[in-house]
Amino acid sequence: METGKKTQANILRAYQRYLKLQRSYSANTLDAYVRDLQKLLDYLEGEDKHLLDVQLEDLQHFAASLHDIGIHARSQCRILSGVRSFYRFLQLDGYRDDDPTELLESPVLGEHLPEVLTTEEVDALEASIDVSKWEGQRNRAIIEMLFSCGLRVSELVNLKLSNLYQQERFVRIFGKGAKERLVPISPKALKELELWFYDRRLMNIKPGEEDYVFLNRRGVHLTRTMILIMIKRQAVEAGIQKTISPHTLRHSFATALLEGGADLRAIQAMLGHETIGTTEIYTHIDMTTLRQQILEHHPRNIRKPINNEEL
C-alpha cells in the first residue's frame, strides 16, 4: 500500500510538471486542476482503488457521487474536464495504454447568460466612489480598466507599469497559459490611470513591488479577493441590484463591443479566448437584448389606448 501511495505521489508530481511546463498553466490554474483532481483521489481511496486501475464504470460512479453531495452541475463539468486531462496525460506519458474517460459524459448544462452592466451603470459605479479617500482614485482606475480593456481580475492584479504603453494607448497582457495579447486603452481609462499615478507617486512602495500598477496602502500589489470585495461594496453604494463581480465588467466590455458592431473574432482577440466558442456566448446576450428591444418597441407589441367613441 505504501508503494502504491509513493507511485501515486510521483505521478501527481509528473502531472503538475506537465501542466506547468508543457501546458504553460499559471500557478492559479495549476492549483485549481490539482484541487479538482484531489476529489477523485479521495473518492478512489474510499473505494480502495488505485488511479492506474480505474475504468469507465469507476469514473461514472465518481461523477454520480459529485451529484449526490450537491456539487453544482457546472462545477461537476469542470471537475470531470480536469479528470479527462489527467487521464490523457497518463496515456500520453505511458502510464496507461488506454484512456478510460473517452466515453465519460458530463452533465447537460442549461444556457447561462452572465450579468452585464450598461455604460450608465458602470458610470454610476465609478461615481459612487469617494475620491477623497486614499484608495478612491485607485478604485476608479481599476473599474475603468476592467470595463475598458475587458481584463480578467488575475490579469489586472498582475498588471505591470512596464507593460503599459500610454503614448501608444495600449497595454500588453499576459493571460491564461502565459499567452500574450495587446489591448487598446480608452482615453477615459488613461485619464483615470494618470490621476491614480499622481497618488501612487506619493506612496512608500515595498521592494519588489515597484512595477505593479495597482497597490494597497502598504505598497504591495492587490489580490483578486480585495478587488472582488471592493466591487461588490461599490455596487451596493451605487444602488445596482444585479449580482456582480470583477468578471461582470469583462462581460460588459464584450457585450458593449458586440452591440457596437465589433466582429466576433476581434472580441475573441481582445478577451484572449483560445476558441471562438467561448466568445459566442456574447451573441446570446446580444440576442436577448435584441429580443427585449423588439418586445418593447415594435409597433405590433405597443398597446394603443382604446377610444370608446371609435367602437
Side-chain angles (χ1 to χ4, degrees):
M1 187 67 178
E2 196 62 36
T3 303
K5 285 187 177 180
K6 187 175 181 182
T7 301
Q8 179 170 295
N10 290 336
I11 292 173
L12 293 177
R13 279 194 291 271
Y15 179 54
Q16 290 180 59
R17 284 196 299 270
Y18 163 76
L19 293 178
K20 183 177 181 180
L21 301 177
Q22 294 193 39
R23 300 300 299 273
S24 299
Y25 285 163
S26 68
N28 288 333
T29 303
L30 196 151
D31 287 346
Y33 268 75
V34 172
R35 278 198 307 272
D36 285 345
L37 182 59
Q38 190 61 49
K39 292 180 174 62
L40 172 64
L41 300 180
D42 292 342
Y43 171 81
L44 293 177
E45 185 174 357
E47 297 292 314
D48 197 25
K49 192 101 176 180
H50 193 274
L51 58 85
L52 293 180
D53 299 325
V54 163
Q55 300 302 318
L56 174 61
E57 186 180 7
D58 301 309
L59 295 174
Q60 289 171 333
H61 289 160
F62 167 65
S65 75
L66 296 176
H67 177 270
D68 291 343
I69 62 177
I71 293 179
H72 190 275
R74 191 168 296 276
S75 297
Q76 291 177 43
C77 289
R78 188 198 67 237
I79 292 166
L80 295 178
S81 175
V83 169
R84 291 187 189 92
S85 170
F86 177 63
Y87 278 97
R88 283 195 294 268
F89 159 76
L90 292 183
Q91 185 182 29
L92 184 69
D93 237 40
Y95 289 101
R96 288 185 60 129
D97 295 327
D98 65 332
D99 177 4
T101 68
E102 282 183 338
L103 299 177
L104 181 64
E105 295 182 352
S106 290
V108 177
L109 296 175
E111 186 177 283
H112 171 69
L113 301 182
E115 291 274 26
V116 294
L117 298 177
T118 64
T119 303
E120 292 73 23
E121 286 173 320
V122 176
D123 289 342
L125 199 62
E126 293 179 3
S128 70
I129 295 171
D130 184 353
V131 291
S132 68
K133 294 183 177 179
W134 174 87
E135 71 277 10
Q137 183 54 47
R138 181 202 65 187
N139 292 349
R140 281 180 65 100
I142 286 172
I143 290 171
E144 190 57 42
M145 285 295 289
L146 289 170
F147 178 62
S148 289
C149 299
L151 304 184
R152 299 178 178 95
V153 67
S154 58
E155 295 167 349
L156 184 102
V157 297
N158 290 303
L159 192 62
K160 304 288 182 65
L161 293 172
S162 54
N163 291 321
L164 272 178
Y165 298 87
Q166 292 170 265
Q167 293 296 322
E168 294 81 3
R169 295 187 176 183
F170 72 84
V171 58
R172 178 186 291 145
I173 301 297
F174 295 92
K176 288 186 175 180
K179 290 184 176 67
E180 179 183 334
R181 70 185 190 275
L182 299 177
V183 180
I185 310 177
S186 69
K188 175 78 160 62
L190 283 170
K191 178 184 175 183
E192 298 295 348
L193 279 175
E194 281 295 339
L195 292 171
W196 156 237
F197 290 153
Y198 178 82
D199 294 336
R200 188 183 181 281
R201 284 190 284 268
L202 304 176
M203 294 180 60
N204 292 319
I205 300 173
K206 290 282 182 70
E209 303 285 317
E210 297 89 351
D211 200 25
Y212 286 98
V213 172
F214 295 110
L215 306 167
N216 63 23
R217 61 178 64 249
R218 299 191 310 276
V220 176
H221 70 279
L222 300 175
T223 67
R224 293 180 297 173
T225 303
M226 291 176 185
I227 294 178
L228 173 64
I229 292 170
M230 180 272 287
I231 286 179
K232 285 188 173 296
R233 183 178 64 240
Q234 288 308 141
V236 173
E237 292 286 333
I240 294 172
Q241 301 297 315
K242 298 173 182 176
T243 302
I244 71 168
S245 69
H247 216 66
T248 307
L249 291 159
R250 178 170 159 88
H251 291 314
S252 304
F253 162 82
T255 305
L257 285 179
L258 188 66
E259 290 176 350
D263 180 78
L264 204 59
R265 290 287 180 186
I267 299 172
Q268 178 190 2
M270 291 298 97
L271 293 173
H273 284 160
E274 191 168 346
T275 64
I276 194 69
T278 309
T279 317
E280 282 175 347
I281 189 173
Y282 297 106
T283 62
H284 299 308
I285 297 172
D286 195 42
M287 287 303 295
T288 301
T289 305
L290 178 60
R291 179 179 179 277
Q292 188 62 32
Q293 292 294 311
I294 291 172
L295 289 174
E296 289 181 5
H297 302 295
H298 192 281
R300 295 296 191 197
N301 297 321
I302 298 174
R303 290 187 139 189
K304 295 179 181 179
I306 299 174
N307 188 336
N308 291 330
E309 293 180 358
E310 294 177 358
L311 292 178

mmCIF file of all heavy atoms in Angstrom, residues 39-60:
data_model
loop_
_atom_site.group_PDB
_atom_site.id
_atom_site.type_symbol
_atom_site.label_atom_id
_atom_site.label_comp_id
_atom_site.label_asym_id
_atom_site.label_seq_id
_atom_site.Cartn_x
_atom_site.Cartn_y
_atom_site.Cartn_z
ATOM 1 N N LYS A 39 -10.343 15.515 -5.531
ATOM 2 C CA LYS A 39 -11.679 14.965 -5.256
ATOM 3 C C LYS A 39 -11.774 13.541 -5.775
ATOM 4 O O LYS A 39 -12.357 12.659 -5.131
ATOM 5 C CB LYS A 39 -12.756 15.858 -5.879
ATOM 6 C CG LYS A 39 -12.882 17.224 -5.228
ATOM 7 C CD LYS A 39 -13.964 18.044 -5.892
ATOM 8 C CE LYS A 39 -14.192 19.360 -5.144
ATOM 9 N NZ LYS A 39 -13.003 20.228 -5.128
ATOM 10 N N LEU A 40 -11.206 13.295 -6.963
ATOM 11 C CA LEU A 40 -11.194 11.937 -7.498
ATOM 12 C C LEU A 40 -10.311 11.036 -6.642
ATOM 13 O O LEU A 40 -10.698 9.901 -6.325
ATOM 14 C CB LEU A 40 -10.694 11.935 -8.943
ATOM 15 C CG LEU A 40 -10.466 10.545 -9.556
ATOM 16 C CD1 LEU A 40 -11.786 9.775 -9.655
ATOM 17 C CD2 LEU A 40 -9.788 10.653 -10.922
ATOM 18 N N LEU A 41 -9.144 11.522 -6.245
ATOM 19 C CA LEU A 41 -8.227 10.710 -5.450
ATOM 20 C C LEU A 41 -8.843 10.332 -4.102
ATOM 21 O O LEU A 41 -8.686 9.201 -3.631
ATOM 22 C CB LEU A 41 -6.909 11.456 -5.252
ATOM 23 C CG LEU A 41 -6.147 11.819 -6.539
ATOM 24 C CD1 LEU A 41 -4.863 12.566 -6.204
ATOM 25 C CD2 LEU A 41 -5.857 10.583 -7.370
ATOM 26 N N ASP A 42 -9.540 11.282 -3.490
ATOM 27 C CA ASP A 42 -10.209 10.990 -2.214
ATOM 28 C C ASP A 42 -11.285 9.916 -2.410
ATOM 29 O O ASP A 42 -11.448 9.024 -1.575
ATOM 30 C CB ASP A 42 -10.840 12.258 -1.642
ATOM 31 C CG ASP A 42 -9.801 13.282 -1.196
ATOM 32 O OD1 ASP A 42 -8.624 12.899 -1.015
ATOM 33 O OD2 ASP A 42 -10.151 14.466 -1.056
ATOM 34 N N TYR A 43 -12.013 10.026 -3.519
ATOM 35 C CA TYR A 43 -13.058 9.038 -3.812
ATOM 36 C C TYR A 43 -12.443 7.654 -4.013
ATOM 37 O O TYR A 43 -12.937 6.650 -3.480
ATOM 38 C CB TYR A 43 -13.836 9.458 -5.062
ATOM 39 C CG TYR A 43 -14.797 8.406 -5.562
ATOM 40 C CD1 TYR A 43 -16.054 8.252 -4.985
ATOM 41 C CD2 TYR A 43 -14.430 7.557 -6.611
ATOM 42 C CE1 TYR A 43 -16.934 7.278 -5.434
ATOM 43 C CE2 TYR A 43 -15.300 6.579 -7.068
ATOM 44 C CZ TYR A 43 -16.540 6.443 -6.479
ATOM 45 O OH TYR A 43 -17.412 5.467 -6.923
ATOM 46 N N LEU A 44 -11.359 7.586 -4.802
ATOM 47 C CA LEU A 44 -10.720 6.305 -5.091
ATOM 48 C C LEU A 44 -10.142 5.666 -3.827
ATOM 49 O O LEU A 44 -10.173 4.445 -3.663
ATOM 50 C CB LEU A 44 -9.617 6.492 -6.139
ATOM 51 C CG LEU A 44 -10.088 6.892 -7.542
ATOM 52 C CD1 LEU A 44 -8.885 7.124 -8.451
ATOM 53 C CD2 LEU A 44 -11.021 5.849 -8.126
ATOM 54 N N GLU A 45 -9.633 6.507 -2.919
ATOM 55 C CA GLU A 45 -9.103 5.977 -1.667
ATOM 56 C C GLU A 45 -10.211 5.304 -0.865
ATOM 57 O O GLU A 45 -10.014 4.238 -0.267
ATOM 58 C CB GLU A 45 -8.459 7.094 -0.851
ATOM 59 C CG GLU A 45 -7.768 6.599 0.411
ATOM 60 C CD GLU A 45 -7.013 7.709 1.135
ATOM 61 O OE1 GLU A 45 -6.981 8.847 0.639
ATOM 62 O OE2 GLU A 45 -6.478 7.411 2.220
ATOM 63 N N GLY A 46 -11.391 5.930 -0.861
ATOM 64 C CA GLY A 46 -12.526 5.343 -0.158
ATOM 65 C C GLY A 46 -13.001 4.043 -0.793
ATOM 66 O O GLY A 46 -13.579 3.186 -0.118
ATOM 67 N N GLU A 47 -12.749 3.907 -2.099
ATOM 68 C CA GLU A 47 -13.134 2.692 -2.815
ATOM 69 C C GLU A 47 -11.992 1.681 -2.864
ATOM 70 O O GLU A 47 -12.141 0.615 -3.473
ATOM 71 C CB GLU A 47 -13.553 3.051 -4.253
ATOM 72 C CG GLU A 47 -14.767 3.948 -4.355
ATOM 73 C CD GLU A 47 -16.028 3.256 -3.900
ATOM 74 O OE1 GLU A 47 -16.248 2.091 -4.306
ATOM 75 O OE2 GLU A 47 -16.803 3.872 -3.129
ATOM 76 N N ASP A 48 -10.858 2.044 -2.252
ATOM 77 C CA ASP A 48 -9.663 1.184 -2.248
ATOM 78 C C ASP A 48 -9.233 0.824 -3.677
ATOM 79 O O ASP A 48 -8.958 -0.325 -4.002
ATOM 80 C CB ASP A 48 -9.917 -0.095 -1.435
ATOM 81 C CG ASP A 48 -8.609 -0.799 -1.060
ATOM 82 O OD1 ASP A 48 -7.570 -0.109 -0.994
ATOM 83 O OD2 ASP A 48 -8.621 -2.033 -0.863
ATOM 84 N N LYS A 49 -9.184 1.881 -4.510
ATOM 85 C CA LYS A 49 -8.866 1.694 -5.931
ATOM 86 C C LYS A 49 -7.690 2.593 -6.295
ATOM 87 O O LYS A 49 -7.660 3.773 -5.927
ATOM 88 C CB LYS A 49 -10.090 2.064 -6.772
ATOM 89 C CG LYS A 49 -10.015 1.650 -8.209
ATOM 90 C CD LYS A 49 -10.815 0.392 -8.426
ATOM 91 C CE LYS A 49 -10.833 0.003 -9.891
ATOM 92 N NZ LYS A 49 -11.613 -1.220 -10.123
ATOM 93 N N HIS A 50 -6.710 2.054 -7.021
ATOM 94 C CA HIS A 50 -5.565 2.859 -7.451
ATOM 95 C C HIS A 50 -5.917 3.583 -8.741
ATOM 96 O O HIS A 50 -6.655 3.060 -9.590
ATOM 97 C CB HIS A 50 -4.330 1.979 -7.667
ATOM 98 C CG HIS A 50 -3.061 2.767 -7.802
ATOM 99 N ND1 HIS A 50 -2.631 3.290 -9.003
ATOM 100 C CD2 HIS A 50 -2.147 3.136 -6.877
ATOM 101 C CE1 HIS A 50 -1.493 3.940 -8.814
ATOM 102 N NE2 HIS A 50 -1.170 3.858 -7.536
ATOM 103 N N LEU A 51 -5.400 4.789 -8.905
ATOM 104 C CA LEU A 51 -5.763 5.612 -10.059
ATOM 105 C C LEU A 51 -5.374 4.974 -11.396
ATOM 106 O O LEU A 51 -5.975 5.253 -12.429
ATOM 107 C CB LEU A 51 -5.166 7.019 -9.936
ATOM 108 C CG LEU A 51 -3.649 7.187 -9.789
ATOM 109 C CD1 LEU A 51 -2.952 7.195 -11.125
ATOM 110 C CD2 LEU A 51 -3.338 8.479 -9.045
ATOM 111 N N LEU A 52 -4.358 4.098 -11.398
ATOM 112 C CA LEU A 52 -3.950 3.436 -12.642
ATOM 113 C C LEU A 52 -4.861 2.272 -13.015
ATOM 114 O O LEU A 52 -4.813 1.776 -14.133
ATOM 115 C CB LEU A 52 -2.500 2.950 -12.533
ATOM 116 C CG LEU A 52 -1.427 4.042 -12.442
ATOM 117 C CD1 LEU A 52 -0.044 3.428 -12.350
ATOM 118 C CD2 LEU A 52 -1.506 4.998 -13.634
ATOM 119 N N ASP A 53 -5.688 1.835 -12.064
ATOM 120 C CA ASP A 53 -6.588 0.710 -12.317
ATOM 121 C C ASP A 53 -8.015 1.153 -12.637
ATOM 122 O O ASP A 53 -8.903 0.322 -12.820
ATOM 123 C CB ASP A 53 -6.629 -0.214 -11.082
ATOM 124 C CG ASP A 53 -5.260 -0.787 -10.759
ATOM 125 O OD1 ASP A 53 -4.496 -1.051 -11.709
ATOM 126 O OD2 ASP A 53 -4.956 -0.959 -9.561
ATOM 127 N N VAL A 54 -8.219 2.445 -12.701
ATOM 128 C CA VAL A 54 -9.577 2.986 -12.879
ATOM 129 C C VAL A 54 -10.128 2.634 -14.262
ATOM 130 O O VAL A 54 -9.429 2.708 -15.273
ATOM 131 C CB VAL A 54 -9.544 4.519 -12.689
ATOM 132 C CG1 VAL A 54 -10.799 5.166 -13.249
ATOM 133 C CG2 VAL A 54 -9.398 4.853 -11.216
ATOM 134 N N GLN A 55 -11.414 2.276 -14.286
ATOM 135 C CA GLN A 55 -12.135 2.019 -15.527
ATOM 136 C C GLN A 55 -13.289 3.013 -15.650
ATOM 137 O O GLN A 55 -13.601 3.748 -14.708
ATOM 138 C CB GLN A 55 -12.665 0.578 -15.547
ATOM 139 C CG GLN A 55 -11.579 -0.485 -15.451
ATOM 140 C CD GLN A 55 -10.554 -0.398 -16.561
ATOM 141 O OE1 GLN A 55 -10.902 -0.177 -17.732
ATOM 142 N NE2 GLN A 55 -9.277 -0.558 -16.212
ATOM 143 N N LEU A 56 -13.924 3.003 -16.815
ATOM 144 C CA LEU A 56 -15.021 3.938 -17.077
ATOM 145 C C LEU A 56 -16.105 3.853 -16.002
ATOM 146 O O LEU A 56 -16.614 4.873 -15.537
ATOM 147 C CB LEU A 56 -15.626 3.668 -18.458
ATOM 148 C CG LEU A 56 -16.877 4.485 -18.818
ATOM 149 C CD1 LEU A 56 -16.578 5.980 -18.824
ATOM 150 C CD2 LEU A 56 -17.424 4.038 -20.176
ATOM 151 N N GLU A 57 -16.454 2.654 -15.590
ATOM 152 C CA GLU A 57 -17.506 2.479 -14.595
ATOM 153 C C GLU A 57 -17.159 3.175 -13.277
ATOM 154 O O GLU A 57 -18.023 3.783 -12.627
ATOM 155 C CB GLU A 57 -17.743 0.986 -14.344
ATOM 156 C CG GLU A 57 -18.931 0.711 -13.418
ATOM 157 C CD GLU A 57 -19.146 -0.773 -13.196
ATOM 158 O OE1 GLU A 57 -18.305 -1.589 -13.645
ATOM 159 O OE2 GLU A 57 -20.161 -1.123 -12.559
ATOM 160 N N ASP A 58 -15.884 3.115 -12.889
ATOM 161 C CA ASP A 58 -15.449 3.793 -11.669
ATOM 162 C C ASP A 58 -15.655 5.297 -11.787
ATOM 163 O O ASP A 58 -16.094 5.964 -10.843
ATOM 164 C CB ASP A 58 -13.968 3.498 -11.395
ATOM 165 C CG ASP A 58 -13.691 2.016 -11.228
ATOM 166 O OD1 ASP A 58 -14.398 1.378 -10.427
ATOM 167 O OD2 ASP A 58 -12.781 1.509 -11.902
ATOM 168 N N LEU A 59 -15.324 5.836 -12.950
ATOM 169 C CA LEU A 59 -15.457 7.283 -13.164
ATOM 170 C C LEU A 59 -16.923 7.687 -13.221
ATOM 171 O O LEU A 59 -17.290 8.787 -12.776
ATOM 172 C CB LEU A 59 -14.733 7.684 -14.453
ATOM 173 C CG LEU A 59 -13.214 7.487 -14.427
ATOM 174 C CD1 LEU A 59 -12.602 7.759 -15.793
ATOM 175 C CD2 LEU A 59 -12.566 8.375 -13.367
ATOM 176 N N GLN A 60 -17.778 6.834 -13.763
ATOM 177 C CA GLN A 60 -19.215 7.128 -13.781
ATOM 178 C C GLN A 60 -19.776 7.169 -12.365
ATOM 179 O O GLN A 60 -20.594 8.039 -12.035
ATOM 180 C CB GLN A 60 -19.938 6.081 -14.627
ATOM 181 C CG GLN A 60 -19.662 6.223 -16.112
ATOM 182 C CD GLN A 60 -20.198 5.061 -16.925
ATOM 183 O OE1 GLN A 60 -20.338 3.941 -16.414
ATOM 184 N NE2 GLN A 60 -20.506 5.301 -18.193
#
